[in-house]
Amino acid sequence: MIITNSVAGCSKNMYTPCRRQMRNESRRVWSLQVEEGGTVQEVLRRQAGFTKKEISRAKFLPDGIRKNGIRCRVTEKTLPGDIIEILLETETRCSGHLTANTEVLDILYEDQDLLAVNKPAGVVTHPQGGHYEDTLANQVSAYYASRQESHTVRPIGRLDKDTSGIVLFAKNQIAAARLQKQRERREFRKTYLAVTQLPQNRKDDARNIDQEKKREIEKEYEKEIMEKNEAEKFPGWNEITRRLEDLGTTSDTDAWTLIDTPMSPDPENHLRMISTPLGKPARTLYKPLWTGKVTQCLALHLETGRTHQIRLHMATQTCPLLGDPLYGGPQTQLHRAALHAYQVTLRQPYTGEKLHLTAPIPEDLRNLSLE
C-alpha cells in the first residue's frame, strides 16, 4: 500500500494516525496484537522490530510496557490475541528551549510519528548563527504547542536556507532511529529538482587544441544543442513534474550519472565549500529531465548529505545552478539557487507502509524563463 500526501491518513492493524485522535495527546503508545506466542520481549522484537535498547528504555517508564492493559515484565509469556502496548514518548520530552514562531506551516503529511512540511526558500531549518527564532524548527515547535502535543523537534535531514521543499520531522525517538536506518539502507530517498546552466564540457575540451580544430568542435557542439532544442522546447512544469514522478527510485543506478567528489569547507571563505581529495566523501546521482539551448532541468539524489553538496557538485560539472553566484551560477530573477526538494519516498516507521510525499514546485521556479 502506498500513501501519498495526507494530513489525516489512517492505517490498519490498530495504527490510527488520525488528526482527531492526535489532539491533546501527550503520550505515544504503540499497540499490537500477538500473532504467535512467546515472551513479551520476543513478540516486540519479532513482530514489531523493536531493538533490545528500545525495549529496555520503555520498560523503566511508568506503564512503559503493558499486556492486556496491565503493566508487565518483558519476560512474561503471551498468547495469540493478547494486546501488547509499549510507550514510545512521554510529555516530559519536548523542545521547550525553542522560541515559538507563529508562521503558518505548509503541512504535506502528518500522522502520529511523522510530520512533513514544505519549507519555503529563505527559511533556516534549525537554529544557528543569527537565526534563533525564525527557523522552521521554531515553527514546528509552535505547531506542536498549539495542538497541546509535547514532542521533541527532530528534523530528519535539513535543507539549506535558500532551498525550498520537503523537510521531514520524527515525533518520537524510535521513529527517528528507524528513519535513519532507512536512510542508510537507501529506503528513505529524497528527490531534488535543479535548474542549471548547460554544461560547457565540450568547449572546455577544446582549450588545448589548435584554433581551427577548436572552432570545428564548438560549431559541432552548438549544432547538437540547437538540434536537440528544436526537437523539444521547454515542455512546461506539468510535464517536468510528470517526468519526476516517472523516475521512481534510483535502484537502477546505471540510468543515473554519479558524481563522486569529496568536499570540505573553503579555508578562504567560510560561506563556501570546495572539492578536494582530502575532504569528506560526497556522492550525488543526477539525471536530465529536459535540456534546452542554455539551461537544463535535473533530478538528483544524494547518497551523502554534505552542506552545499548539490550546488558544489553541479559547479564541478560546469553546470552551476541558476541564481547561485557563490558557485558561479548565472543571475536570474530567482534571487536564489534554483533547487527544490520535490519528493520523499520512505516507509512508515512502524507499519512499514510506503509513503510517497511531494512538495509542489514553487512559484519563483515556475516563473523562470527557460530556453
Side-chain angles (χ1 to χ4, degrees):
M1 179 179 180
I2 298 178
I3 300 177
T4 55
N5 294 26
S6 170
V7 294
C10 295
S11 307
K12 53 186 178 179
N13 298 330
M14 302 185 68
Y15 176 76
T16 52
C18 294
R19 182 181 292 277
R20 63 179 179 276
Q21 292 177 322
M22 291 192 294
R23 294 192 183 282
N24 302 318
E25 183 176 284
S26 56
R27 292 165 61 86
R28 173 68 175 96
V29 177
W30 172 256
S31 299
L32 63 88
Q33 187 174 52
V34 176
E35 297 173 355
E36 181 183 341
T39 66
V40 170
Q41 178 165 277
E42 289 171 344
V43 170
L44 287 172
R45 296 199 68 189
R46 178 180 64 239
Q47 194 171 323
F50 287 98
T51 65
K52 284 186 178 181
K53 183 177 180 180
E54 292 166 350
I55 295 170
S56 177
R57 174 182 170 274
K59 73 181 182 181
F60 292 110
L61 298 173
D63 287 333
I65 299 177
R66 300 194 300 178
K67 182 180 75 172
N68 298 327
I70 301 173
R71 186 174 183 179
C72 65
R73 295 180 180 274
V74 297
T75 54
E76 287 188 24
K77 296 290 185 179
T78 66
L79 296 172
D82 285 343
I83 302 299
I84 305 298
E85 297 172 302
I86 180 170
L87 181 63
L88 306 180
E89 193 88 334
T90 69
E91 65 280 353
T92 59
R93 297 184 61 83
C94 63
S95 295
H97 66 287
L98 292 175
T99 303
N101 185 303
T102 57
E103 293 291 329
V104 178
L105 287 174
D106 182 2
I107 298 175
L108 302 170
Y109 174 86
E110 184 175 18
D111 63 28
Q112 285 180 300
D113 306 296
L114 305 173
L115 175 68
V117 302
N118 185 11
K119 185 186 86 67
V123 175
V124 176
T125 301
H126 52 74
Q128 57 182 330
H131 296 276
Y132 298 102
E133 299 181 0
D134 56 350
T135 73
L136 191 65
N138 294 104
Q139 296 175 26
V140 170
S141 180
Y143 173 72
Y144 290 155
S146 72
R147 294 162 58 86
Q148 298 181 334
E149 296 178 12
S150 298
H151 303 298
T152 299
V153 176
R154 299 182 179 91
I156 307 301
R158 68 175 186 85
L159 297 179
D160 291 339
K161 177 182 177 182
D162 288 335
T163 301
S164 56
I166 297 179
V167 179
L168 190 69
F169 293 85
K171 291 185 178 181
N172 57 73
Q173 188 176 37
I174 296 176
R178 291 187 174 189
L179 289 174
Q180 182 57 41
K181 289 181 180 178
Q182 287 186 35
R183 293 179 72 181
E184 294 169 1
R185 297 192 298 262
R186 298 181 186 173
E187 296 173 350
F188 178 108
R189 300 305 300 262
K190 184 177 287 186
T191 302
Y192 291 82
L193 168 69
V195 184
T196 80
Q197 184 178 15
L198 204 66
Q200 301 297 304
N201 296 343
R202 288 283 296 277
K203 291 183 180 180
D204 289 345
D205 291 342
R207 282 178 301 183
N208 298 320
I209 304 176
D210 64 82
Q211 291 300 310
E212 184 177 349
K213 185 66 175 177
K214 180 178 178 180
R215 283 193 296 271
E216 290 178 4
I217 291 176
E218 289 181 346
K219 286 180 180 179
E220 182 184 352
Y221 172 80
E222 291 170 357
K223 180 180 178 182
E224 288 178 1
I225 294 302
M226 290 181 66
E227 288 176 351
K228 184 173 183 60
N229 195 52
E230 289 173 359
E232 182 190 23
K233 301 297 184 181
F234 181 66
W237 288 107
N238 289 341
E239 173 62 16
I240 295 297
T241 298
R242 188 195 66 77
R243 294 179 188 182
L244 278 165
E245 294 291 339
D246 286 347
L247 288 178
T249 66
T250 55
S251 55
D252 179 15
T253 55
D254 291 339
W256 297 67
T257 300
L258 172 66
I259 304 172
D260 188 356
T261 304
M263 53 191 293
S264 67
D266 186 341
E268 298 181 1
N269 183 348
H270 71 281
L271 298 177
R272 283 173 46 93
M273 304 292 286
I274 58 172
S275 58
T276 168
L278 302 178
K280 292 183 178 180
R283 294 165 60 89
T284 302
L285 290 163
Y286 74 92
K287 185 175 183 179
L289 297 169
W290 168 80
T291 303
K293 186 185 299 184
V294 294
T295 56
Q296 63 181 348
C297 293
L298 303 177
L300 307 101
H301 288 289
L302 299 180
E303 290 193 353
T304 55
R306 309 301 177 199
T307 300
H308 294 184
Q309 180 172 320
I310 289 176
R311 297 166 65 184
L312 176 62
H313 274 179
M314 289 300 97
T316 66
Q317 302 301 297
T318 70
C319 53
L321 273 61
L322 299 191
D324 188 6
L326 196 60
Y327 295 97
Q331 290 304 287
T332 69
Q333 71 272 30
L334 189 62
H335 304 302
R336 69 172 177 102
L339 185 61
H340 178 66
Y342 173 75
Q343 184 181 98
V344 170
T345 302
L346 69 151
R347 293 194 176 276
Q348 211 289 337
Y350 298 99
T351 68
E353 289 175 303
K354 194 169 185 179
L355 303 178
H356 181 79
L357 313 177
T358 60
I361 298 174
E363 284 301 311
D364 60 353
L365 280 181
R366 287 182 173 273
N367 290 334
L368 279 174
S369 177
L370 300 180
E371 62 175 347

